[in-house]
Amino acid sequence: MTDPALSEIILKAYSAAHAPDVWTEVLDQLTERYRAKGIIFWEWRGQGDTLKLNAPLFSSNYKREALNAYLQRHQQREYADQTEFEQKSLQFGRLAPDKIDLVNERDLYPNEDAYLATPHVQELLRHGVRHRYGALLDRDNPFHARFSLQTGETRGPLSTDEQAELAALLPHVAKAMDLAEALSERRTKNTAFLNALNRFNVGVCILDTEARVIDRNNEFDRQIEEFGAFWLSRDAKLILHDQVNRKHFDDLLEDFRHHGTFGARPRKEALLVNTPDKAGALCLELLPPAPLQETGARAARYAVLISRDTTRPIQIDLHSAQRAFQLTDAEIQVLDLVCGGLTNPAIAAQRDRSVETINAQVKTVLGKTGTANRTQLVRLMCNFPQTL
């Protein structure tokens, strides 16, 4: 990816992970690059009869009131489209689960006439929208991070080259959005990122391009002391003890092109660090060097390291996780206790089951979620945060 303008958009997307207001600028630049009518991120909210489609992010040429009014008129039709879109995306993903595939109206409808005849498309045509493209940015949680781009009749459909470029760019957007979730738990709209570091329940460390520590929060200091996974050199460089992870970490810090390699499964890019004499592991994720918007020094680029202690309890949306992975009631209860930091013997005692039974249930949950161990499982479940 050698186009400087495209590289700048990608770096700005990584900046948006810690500065949410930047997302609109990112989407506006993508809209302009592809001469689109606009871009919308969709997500599902609620469950059962209260399940509704929502648009948390969109480019500035769309207006919140107009989007809400459109959804109110055509919620049922868009529900059908989104359901078919999800099924097609997951179907395409069976051959390459990590790949982000673009789905368009030709994949959702038997022919063009059937597409153009639907009432919601007729309304979109009146507003200049003719072609629609969508992509699941997180196959592990298909209820959120649904990218969509719309083009008009005059502009026409995206070319093959444009679709290939967009498919290569979206893994970076997917990772930025995924890590934005980890950084949003304790941030409010009026709280600056750096000032909020000690409110995060994950370890956060700000690094320059040479891996020198610029700032870090109390949780990160605690992890350094308790896990012994890092050490600081005399010139304040952060260095991992683990040699294999150190090489991967250095590559991620060196160039954003090393990121986004797992497409629609950004969690798989995390580094898992086990340390002697310490239960559990650290799950490390890195936002590549990008402008830290609030510093005001746009020439300076900083990386953000997010470190999660997987022995610490996390609160998850059990209903969404159960639906996503088709877990039984017993399996979702076991999963909840795993996310609460309990060991298998402790879960067995609490559920009044044998350890062998719990071992088998945990193994089944790992298989259904496509995770190799409890650490990966906990990292995956961070994609299903419990909302208040």
Side-chain angles (χ1 to χ4, degrees):
M1 203 169 289
T2 57
D3 187 326
L6 193 61
S7 297
E8 193 60 34
I9 292 173
I10 292 172
L11 290 174
K12 191 166 290 184
Y14 283 122
S15 295
H18 53 73
D21 289 344
V22 179
W23 276 119
T24 301
E25 189 176 345
V26 172
L27 300 187
D28 284 349
Q29 289 185 345
L30 288 175
T31 297
E32 182 179 356
R33 183 176 183 87
Y34 296 110
R35 294 179 291 120
K37 297 297 291 186
I39 293 174
I40 305 172
F41 281 102
W42 300 103
E43 67 178 11
W44 291 111
R45 286 189 178 174
Q47 58 189 52
D49 294 339
T50 65
L51 190 66
K52 296 292 184 183
L53 197 61
N54 182 59
L57 291 172
F58 44 87
S59 53
S60 62
N61 42 349
Y62 291 140
K63 302 303 178 187
R64 168 67 64 190
E65 296 78 8
L67 279 174
N68 288 344
Y70 169 82
L71 285 175
Q72 187 172 8
R73 288 190 295 271
H74 302 291
Q75 182 76 219
Q76 187 174 2
R77 188 62 252 179
E78 281 292 344
Y79 178 95
D81 276 2
Q82 288 290 331
T83 301
E84 181 68 17
F85 156 70
E86 179 182 323
Q87 292 174 350
K88 288 291 184 182
S89 296
L90 295 176
Q91 176 185 333
F92 293 160
R94 291 191 186 112
L95 296 177
D98 298 340
K99 182 183 176 185
I100 292 180
D101 296 289
L102 284 175
V103 176
N104 59 39
E105 68 270 10
R106 293 185 296 277
D107 299 308
L108 305 185
Y109 288 83
N111 53 60
E112 185 177 28
D113 289 342
Y115 169 67
L116 296 176
T118 56
H120 69 307
V121 172
Q122 290 179 4
E123 178 171 340
L124 292 174
L125 289 170
R126 291 195 293 272
H127 293 286
V129 173
R130 171 64 177 78
H131 303 282
R132 300 194 295 170
Y133 298 84
L136 281 183
L137 299 190
D138 186 350
R139 290 193 195 280
D140 293 316
N141 184 359
F143 311 129
H144 74 158
R146 293 174 174 225
F147 172 89
S148 68
L149 178 147
Q150 303 79 38
T151 64
E153 186 73 51
T154 303
R155 187 311 183 192
L158 296 177
S159 69
T160 301
D161 287 344
E162 287 174 323
Q163 291 187 55
E165 179 187 272
L166 186 57
L169 178 149
L170 286 177
H172 297 284
V173 176
K175 182 174 182 179
M177 293 195 73
D178 183 59
L179 295 187
E181 290 286 336
L183 296 174
S184 67
E185 296 173 7
R186 292 286 182 172
R187 178 179 50 209
T188 66
K189 187 172 182 180
N190 297 319
T191 303
F193 174 70
L194 291 176
N195 292 336
L197 284 182
N198 284 322
R199 296 191 177 97
F200 296 134
N201 61 5
V202 295
V204 180
C205 182
I206 312 299
L207 304 167
D208 67 12
T209 54
E210 301 298 321
R212 287 187 291 263
V213 176
I214 304 302
D215 203 350
R216 60 186 189 266
N217 68 354
N218 293 339
E219 172 61 12
F220 193 81
D221 282 338
R222 183 194 69 80
Q223 293 175 10
I224 288 180
E225 182 176 348
E226 292 192 13
F227 279 84
F230 316 97
W231 58 281
L232 294 176
S233 67
R234 290 185 176 180
D235 56 350
K237 286 186 178 181
L238 186 73
I239 301 173
L240 299 183
H241 281 297
D242 185 279
Q243 293 285 349
V244 175
N245 279 327
R246 187 188 304 177
K247 175 64 169 62
H248 190 186
F249 178 81
D250 290 344
D251 288 343
L252 292 172
L253 185 64
E254 178 185 16
D255 196 324
F256 76 86
R257 295 172 184 84
H258 293 295
H259 295 253
T261 54
F262 289 102
R265 289 243 164 84
R267 66 174 176 85
K268 293 175 67 175
E269 203 160 86
L271 303 177
L272 302 178
V273 180
N274 294 283
T275 56
D277 305 321
K278 179 70 176 175
L282 293 179
C283 180
L284 308 181
E285 296 173 279
L286 190 72
L287 283 163
L292 196 61
Q293 297 293 323
E294 64 195 64
T295 63
R298 293 187 62 84
R301 300 187 187 276
Y302 300 95
V304 180
L305 175 63
I306 303 167
S307 178
R308 187 182 296 274
D309 181 351
T310 60
T311 66
R312 291 289 181 95
I314 62 170
Q315 300 296 317
I316 67 171
D317 181 345
L318 296 176
H319 177 84
S320 295
Q322 183 174 23
R323 177 184 166 199
F325 301 107
Q326 298 182 329
L327 301 175
T328 66
D329 289 344
E331 288 163 355
I332 199 66
Q333 291 169 19
V334 168
L335 173 60
D336 187 29
L337 295 173
V338 169
C339 291
L342 274 66
T343 63
N344 285 9
I347 295 173
Q350 182 159 328
R351 287 183 53 74
D352 194 23
R353 300 289 190 275
S354 69
V355 175
E356 290 74 17
T357 297
I358 299 303
N359 289 343
Q361 288 178 327
V362 170
K363 185 177 181 180
T364 300
V365 170
L366 293 175
K368 287 186 176 181
T369 57
T371 52
N373 51 51
R374 294 166 71 95
T375 300
Q376 288 188 7
L377 178 62
V378 170
R379 167 63 183 90
L380 171 59
M381 288 304 112
C382 293
N383 289 353
F384 297 84
Q386 189 178 72
T387 56
L388 299 178

